[in-house]
């Protein structure tokens, strides 16, 4: 509307603003990290579910266990707060100990 120079100055002020640049990066990592937390929680819950018989024994669902391990590993590599992801699973296993949960934690780790 006002010409090329004011447009270039406005674009430069918007793009090169350090605070906006930093916040854009934090928001991107937070969204990815939140998604990885949710995937890890769902995968752990599905992997720990007992088979239809209700016993703690039975075949381990490898796909859910591998998805759990991959999502935790990706969260650890994304941001510092990803390093807090294993703690809720360990606390859950301490409160509700089972062989199945221990196997999922060990193989996922």
């Amino acid at each position: 509307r006002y010409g090329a120079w004011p447009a270039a100055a406005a674009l430069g002020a918007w793009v090169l603003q350090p605070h906006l640049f930093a916040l854009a990066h934090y928001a991107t990592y937070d969204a990815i990290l939140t998604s990885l937390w949710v995937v890890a929680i769902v995968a752990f819950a599905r992997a720990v579910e007992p088979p239809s018989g209700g016993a703690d024994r039975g075949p381990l669902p490898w796909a859910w266990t591998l998805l759990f391990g991959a999502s935790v590993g990706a969260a650890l590599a994304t941001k510092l707060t990803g390093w807090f992801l294993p703690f809720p699973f360990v606390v859950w296993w301490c409160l509700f100990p089972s062989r199945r949960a221990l196997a999922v934690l060990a193989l996922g780790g």
Side-chain angles (χ1 to χ4, degrees):
R1 179 181 286 189
Y2 295 106
W5 284 107
L11 179 66
W14 183 68
V15 171
L16 300 175
Q17 181 184 12
H19 189 68
L20 179 67
F21 185 74
L23 287 178
H25 280 77
Y26 293 148
T28 301
Y29 288 137
D30 285 341
I32 292 171
L33 188 62
T34 302
S35 300
L36 290 170
W37 272 71
V38 170
V39 168
I41 291 168
V42 170
F44 182 78
R46 293 297 303 257
V48 173
E49 274 182 355
S52 59
D56 192 23
R57 298 174 190 243
L60 198 63
W62 286 99
W64 289 112
T65 303
L66 291 175
L67 181 63
F68 168 71
S71 60
V72 169
L76 293 174
T78 300
K79 196 175 169 185
L80 174 68
T81 52
W83 284 88
F84 298 118
L85 180 57
F87 294 123
F89 300 115
V90 172
V91 168
W92 185 88
W93 178 76
C94 290
L95 294 174
F96 308 102
S98 71
R99 282 189 203 163
R100 193 173 194 81
L102 184 60
V104 171
L105 286 173
L107 293 173

